[in-house]
């Protein structure tokens, strides 16, 4: 249960924080016992232990720890100055630089502003109370500002680095969602459209047993294909390292069906296309045929032609149906154009001279 809490709250105290604190406290006690130059050894050890004890909570409450460290150290320095005792700290106290680091790494803007004032005041106060020449006080103040400022700088840099990484992850996730939505639209919609059309054919002529049987066979085939595509997508999401084989020219040829509507496919492209180009052309063909089935009115025939022209690969999909009044949400054409643009290709789509609809996609031969 504690491990789950740590995962859900990255700022919660961790086991290694507790171990680090225990080690630092043990070193503090050992240093206090061994050093002979400390005027108040056990008081100094006690103050240091109190401050070190808060380290495990530096991520969750950085400002509280900064306030505690600032006021305790300033108060202790003032008491020593009033008592005429020279300031002398333990070496382990350098570990307390983790507190200003945490302030700028995890603290809010208000926390950082308030904490900076407290830290600066504490450093200057301690330097001012040091006995000795004025130059020594200046050097002490500069050294303190450098140490504390460096810790704050590292915290700010790591904060920006983490924010940048989170932005990159957010962008990557958005791109993954877009790619998944495009694949769902291209694959599932294609098979579901075929199922819907065959179901309409079967219901329109239910007395024709052969027609119904043929329609049911196509429906079963398309449903199995849709299920296979869905499983492939889910498997890719669950196990990103495992991918299904890329679609190729054979899959484009397999789009041909007896109808209705009749889909003919002509492929006159030499083998050797890259997997990315072949997959893109397959998805564009699949989406174009799906659009014709779903949106064209009275479509009876869809022709797919894939060939090489002047070194480029050209895909043409033509149907004989009248364009529908509503051509859908536009995601299909947009998705096809985006796929082709990544390969330096282009897309043209619109009514043709025969009263139907044509789509023409071109991919530079250099990418093939």
């Amino acid at each position: 249960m504690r491990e789950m809490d740590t995962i859900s709250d990255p700022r919660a105290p961790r086991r290694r924080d507790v171990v680090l604190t225990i080690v630092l406290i043990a070193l503090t006690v050992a240093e206090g016992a061994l050093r002979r130059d400390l005027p108040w050894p056990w008081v100094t050890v006690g103050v240091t232990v109190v401050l070190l004890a808060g380290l495990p909570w530096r991520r969750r409450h950085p400002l509280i720890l900064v306030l505690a460290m600032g006021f305790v150290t300033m108060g202790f320095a003032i008491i020593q100055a009033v008592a005429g005792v020279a300031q002398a700290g333990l070496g382990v106290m350098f570990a307390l630089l983790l507190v200003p680091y945490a302030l700028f790494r995890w603290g809010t803007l208000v926390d950082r502003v308030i904490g900076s004032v407290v830290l600066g005041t504490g450093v200057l106060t301690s330097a001012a109370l040091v006995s000795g020449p004025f130059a020594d006080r200046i050097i002490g103040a500069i050294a303190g500002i450098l140490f504390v400022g460096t810790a704050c700088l590292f915290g700010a840099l790591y904060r920006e680095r983490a924010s940048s990484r989170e932005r990159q992850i957010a962008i990557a996730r958005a791109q993954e969602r877009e790619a998944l939505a495009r694949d769902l639209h291209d694959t599932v919609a294609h098979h579901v459209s075929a199922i819907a059309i065959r179901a309409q054919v079967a219901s329109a002529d239910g007395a024709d047993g052969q027609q119904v049987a043929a329609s049911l066979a196509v429906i079963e085939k398309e449903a199995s294909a849709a299920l296979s595509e869905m499983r492939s997508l889910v498997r890719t999401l669950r196990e990103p390292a495992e991918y299904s084989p890329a679609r190729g020219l054979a899959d484009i040829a397999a789009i041909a069906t007896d109808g209705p509507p009749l889909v003919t496919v002509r492929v006159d492209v030499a083998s050797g296309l890259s997997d990315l180009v072949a997959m893109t052309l397959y998805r564009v063909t699949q989406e174009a045929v799906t659009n014709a089935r779903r949106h064209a009115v009275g479509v009876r025939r869809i022709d797919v032609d894939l060939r090489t022209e002047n070194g480029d690969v050209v895909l043409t999909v033509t149907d004989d149906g009248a364009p529908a009044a509503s051509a859908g949400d536009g995601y299909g054409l947009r998705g096809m154009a985006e796929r082709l643009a990544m390969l330096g290709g282009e897309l043209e789509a619109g009514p043709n001279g025969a009263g139907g609809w044509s789509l023409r996609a071109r991919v530079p031969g250099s990418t093939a």
Side-chain angles (χ1 to χ4, degrees):
M1 187 65 180
R2 183 173 297 276
E3 292 296 327
M4 292 297 293
D5 292 341
T6 301
I7 294 175
S8 61
D9 185 2
R11 299 187 181 186
R14 303 171 187 176
R15 186 175 301 173
R16 64 173 179 265
D17 294 328
V18 177
V19 174
L20 174 63
T21 301
I22 294 174
V23 171
L24 291 175
I25 290 175
L27 292 175
T28 299
V29 174
E31 185 178 358
L34 295 175
R35 285 185 57 176
R36 298 290 179 252
D37 59 328
L38 292 177
W40 293 348
W42 296 115
V43 175
T44 304
V45 168
V47 171
T48 305
V49 168
V50 170
L51 295 177
L52 291 174
L55 285 180
W57 289 271
R58 66 187 183 278
R59 301 181 190 88
R60 180 175 288 178
H61 305 294
L63 180 59
I64 294 177
L65 292 182
V66 167
L67 294 175
M69 184 176 71
F71 288 120
V72 168
T73 53
M74 280 191 292
F76 191 52
I78 292 172
I79 292 173
Q80 286 181 315
V82 172
V85 177
Q87 294 186 35
L90 297 172
V92 181
M93 293 188 69
F94 278 102
L96 292 175
L97 291 175
L98 290 173
V99 176
Y101 168 86
L103 175 69
F104 278 78
R105 173 64 179 87
W106 290 285
T108 64
L109 177 60
V110 175
D111 291 345
R112 297 196 296 273
V113 171
I114 297 175
S116 298
V117 173
V118 174
L119 288 172
T121 303
V123 171
L124 295 178
T125 300
S126 297
L129 294 175
V130 173
S131 59
F134 181 75
D136 292 344
R137 300 180 186 180
I138 296 297
I139 294 174
I142 294 175
I145 292 174
L146 286 176
F147 279 117
V148 176
T150 301
C152 295
L153 178 61
F154 274 107
L157 291 176
Y158 273 93
R159 181 192 190 94
E160 179 57 31
R161 179 181 178 185
S163 298
S164 176
R165 185 170 182 272
E166 289 175 359
R167 289 193 295 269
Q168 292 175 354
I169 292 174
I171 293 173
R173 286 177 176 173
Q175 292 174 342
E176 289 174 357
R177 288 194 296 267
E178 182 179 350
L180 177 59
R182 186 185 297 124
D183 283 340
L184 285 172
H185 186 278
D186 292 350
T187 58
V188 178
H190 171 79
H191 298 299
V192 173
S193 297
I195 292 172
I197 292 173
R198 275 297 184 171
Q200 293 172 359
V201 171
S203 62
D205 192 6
D208 188 345
Q210 292 183 346
Q211 184 67 38
V212 171
S215 296
L216 290 176
V218 174
I219 290 173
E220 180 183 4
K221 174 185 175 183
E222 295 293 340
S224 298
L227 182 60
S228 177
E229 295 281 3
M230 288 293 295
R231 286 174 174 170
S232 177
L233 288 172
V234 172
R235 184 168 56 252
T236 300
L237 288 174
R238 290 181 174 177
E239 302 176 6
E242 297 183 7
Y243 297 95
S244 58
R247 298 288 189 173
L249 298 179
D251 298 288
I252 296 177
I255 293 178
T257 60
D258 295 333
L262 174 66
V263 180
T264 63
V265 178
R266 180 176 180 271
V267 178
D268 187 14
V269 176
S271 60
L273 294 180
S274 67
D275 291 342
L276 180 58
V277 172
M279 168 65 82
T280 300
L281 292 172
Y282 170 77
R283 293 302 189 202
V284 171
T285 303
Q286 189 180 52
E287 175 61 18
V289 172
T290 298
N291 284 347
R293 283 172 168 169
R294 295 175 61 186
H295 304 305
V297 179
V299 61
R300 292 172 298 176
R301 182 183 181 90
I302 303 173
D303 295 317
V304 177
D305 183 83
L306 183 64
R307 64 178 63 195
T308 302
E309 292 183 3
N310 299 323
D312 294 340
V313 181
V314 178
L315 168 68
T316 305
V317 181
T318 306
D319 66 73
D320 60 357
S326 175
D329 51 22
Y331 290 123
L333 288 175
R334 186 187 309 169
M336 287 187 280
E338 289 174 352
R339 287 181 183 274
L340 293 168
M342 289 189 296
L343 299 176
E346 56 186 10
L347 176 71
E348 298 177 0
N352 55 41
W357 184 274
S358 293
L359 178 144
R360 181 181 177 85
R362 178 182 294 271
V363 178
S366 59
T367 63

